[in-house]
Amino acid sequence: VLNLNQSQDIQTIATLRIILQVVIIEIHQERPAPQLHVSVQNRANRQLRFPQRVQPSQSVFDKYRFNFPAGSAEIFSSTGVPVEQTRTITIQGAFRLATALNVLHRHDNPPRDPDRRSRTVFSVEVPDGAVEVVLRQERPHEPLNVRIIGDLATVQVADEIIEIVTRMFSLHVDPTPFFIQATNDPPIRNLLELFPDLRPLRTPTPFEGVVRLILGQGISTENLAVVMRNLRDVVGIVPRGRPHAPPAFPGKLTMLAVPDRLLHVAGITLPKIQRIKQIAACLVGHPDLLEHLLTIADPIKSRTLIEDLPFLGRRTANQLLHSAYSFQDHLPEEPRLFQAVKRLYQLNRYPDMDMVT
C-alpha cells in the first residue's frame, strides 16, 4: 500500500496490469483515495529479484506487496521500468567537452571542433547491468546536459553517474586562476592553444584506472587504446533495453566472472589477466578500497593503501593518484613527470623536484 499525500488531487480511477519477463505488476485503485495497491505476481514460480530501493514487505505464496519511496519522479516505459533520467551540470569557469574528448579519444576518433556543439555516448556498469550515458554541450562554457538511459536508470543510479561525470571531467573545481597564470607561461600557453580550456581528466572509476595502468605496461598508448576498446567489445555489458548502446567497461565482478580465455581474445596477456583478477578479488565488497579512497583527502595515506594491493607498487600508485583521483597538487618524484617537464620546456637536462614545483 502506497500512502499518498492527503493534499494530492487524485482524479483517476485506474487498474494497470503490466507484464514483464517473469512477473506481473498490478496497480489498483478502488476510488479516488490516498491509497494505491501494488502487487507483484510471479508468473513462472521463479525467485523474484527486487531493486535495492524496493524491498518486499509481505509475502503470500508467490505474491508480494511492497512500499515505494515517496518523492521519486521517473520516466517509465511500457514495461513499467524506468528508462531515462535527465540532469544538468552547472560548470564553474571555462570548459569545452570537445577538448576533453579530443584528449580522451585521441587515438580513436578524428578531432572535434572545440568551438561547436559536442556530444558523446558511453555506458557505465551498474549493479545488475549497465546504463547508457549521453553527454551534450551546446556551446563552450555552457552547462553539460546528461541523459542516463536504460531499464536500470533509477534516481539513485543517475546520482552516481553525475558524480562519475563530475569527477571524470574535473567539473567540481574552477580552473580560472590556473588559466590566468598560464598566460605567463609560454609552454603551457601553447599547450592550451592546442587544447583550449583543458581540465584535468580522470578515469570514470578507480578500478578502470588500475586496469588501464596494468594493461598499459610495456605497450604504447596507441596499442593500449586498442586493447581497452577490445576489452569493452568482448566482455563489456550492453545496457538492458538499449541494444545499440556501446558496451560498458567491465567492473570488478564482471572481470572475476569472465573466463581467462575470453580476456585473452581481447588481446590481454595471461600474466596481466592474473594480476587484474587478483586485484579484483581483493576489491569485492561495496564500497571497495579504491572507492573508499575517493573520500580520503590525504594523498600519502591513499598511496600507502593502494600499495597494499597485489602488484601495485609505488610507481603505479603515484600514477593512479593522478589518473583516478583528484590530487593535482601532489607531485611525486616520478621519472615520467620529469621527462614531460624536460620535453615541454625544452630543457638540456632532467629537472629536479625543486625546479618542477
Side-chain angles (χ1 to χ4, degrees):
V1 177
L2 176 63
N3 293 318
L4 304 177
N5 192 331
Q6 295 285 350
S7 63
Q8 272 188 275
D9 185 13
I10 304 176
Q11 301 290 343
T12 305
I13 301 175
T15 299
L16 178 64
R17 184 178 178 90
I18 306 170
I19 301 178
L20 301 179
Q21 293 180 352
V22 296
V23 299
I24 299 176
I25 297 179
E26 295 186 12
I27 304 176
H28 181 67
Q29 188 179 29
E30 296 291 343
R31 60 184 182 278
Q35 285 190 334
L36 191 66
H37 297 272
V38 182
S39 65
V40 177
Q41 198 173 19
N42 190 348
R43 299 175 58 211
N45 291 327
R46 300 176 185 174
Q47 182 180 2
L48 297 181
R49 299 182 62 185
F50 293 87
Q52 292 182 357
R53 69 184 191 90
V54 180
Q55 297 295 336
S57 60
Q58 185 178 2
S59 173
V60 181
F61 298 101
D62 60 350
K63 291 188 178 182
Y64 295 80
R65 182 177 298 167
F66 49 89
N67 299 326
F68 287 93
S72 60
E74 300 163 336
I75 300 175
F76 288 85
S77 69
S78 59
T79 61
V81 181
V83 295
E84 181 174 340
Q85 300 283 339
T86 303
R87 302 290 179 86
T88 300
I89 301 178
T90 302
I91 300 173
Q92 299 180 8
F95 171 72
R96 302 181 191 228
L97 179 61
T99 296
L101 297 177
N102 286 339
V103 175
L104 292 174
H105 306 302
R106 58 189 178 276
H107 300 302
D108 298 334
N109 299 318
R112 303 167 186 252
D113 187 348
D115 296 323
R116 302 184 63 181
R117 181 179 65 178
S118 185
R119 180 179 180 272
T120 187
V121 181
F122 59 96
S123 297
V124 177
E125 184 172 316
V126 298
D128 297 327
V131 293
E132 182 182 13
V133 181
V134 182
L135 304 181
R136 188 182 75 254
Q137 188 181 38
E138 295 296 333
R139 285 185 291 272
H141 319 318
E142 287 194 352
L144 188 65
N145 299 315
V146 185
R147 295 173 59 204
I148 302 97
I149 312 172
D151 290 354
L152 301 176
T154 62
V155 174
Q156 179 181 356
V157 168
D159 292 340
E160 295 176 358
I161 296 300
I162 293 301
E163 291 181 5
I164 290 175
V165 173
T166 301
R167 184 177 65 251
M168 184 177 175
F169 296 104
S170 296
L171 301 180
H172 59 288
V173 297
D174 186 353
T176 302
F178 166 75
F179 291 142
I180 294 175
Q181 184 179 0
T183 58
N184 300 321
D185 192 318
I188 299 296
R189 186 175 63 242
N190 295 335
L191 181 64
L192 291 178
E193 289 178 356
L194 295 175
F195 301 101
D197 302 325
L198 178 63
R199 294 185 179 217
L201 302 176
R202 305 282 174 253
T203 55
T205 64
F207 179 72
E208 182 173 341
V210 170
V211 174
R212 176 181 289 273
L213 288 175
I214 293 177
L215 296 182
Q217 294 174 356
I219 63 176
S220 64
T221 56
E222 292 85 356
N223 291 335
L224 174 60
V226 173
V227 174
M228 293 291 288
R229 184 171 59 250
N230 292 343
L231 183 59
R232 286 186 175 90
D233 293 340
V234 174
V235 301
I237 298 178
V238 176
R240 198 180 342 167
R242 307 292 296 177
H244 301 293
F249 187 85
K252 55 190 177 184
L253 297 180
T254 302
M255 283 291 194
L256 289 173
V258 172
D260 292 355
R261 57 181 178 80
L262 200 56
L263 294 173
H264 190 61
V265 170
I268 306 176
T269 61
L270 293 179
K272 291 183 178 180
I273 292 174
Q274 294 175 357
R275 295 174 192 171
I276 292 173
K277 287 204 169 188
Q278 289 191 36
I279 294 175
C282 296
L283 299 176
V284 173
H286 184 77
D288 61 38
L289 173 61
L290 296 180
E291 294 170 349
H292 176 65
L293 294 183
L294 293 172
T295 64
I296 298 179
D298 186 353
I300 304 301
K301 181 179 179 180
S302 299
R303 185 180 64 188
T304 303
L305 293 174
I306 293 173
E307 292 178 13
D308 289 338
L309 294 173
F311 307 110
L312 297 184
R314 175 63 57 89
R315 182 173 180 177
T316 303
N318 285 332
Q319 293 175 352
L320 190 63
L321 290 179
H322 286 270
S323 63
Y325 301 97
S326 300
F327 291 122
Q328 296 96 333
D329 297 332
H330 175 66
L331 295 178
E333 295 187 15
E334 170 63 40
R336 292 187 181 183
L337 173 63
F338 297 148
Q339 182 180 6
V341 172
K342 180 177 180 296
R343 292 179 58 186
L344 184 63
Y345 289 89
Q346 300 180 355
L347 303 177
N348 295 326
R349 62 181 180 85
Y350 277 94
D352 55 19
M353 202 61 187
D354 294 335
M355 184 181 297
V356 171
T357 55

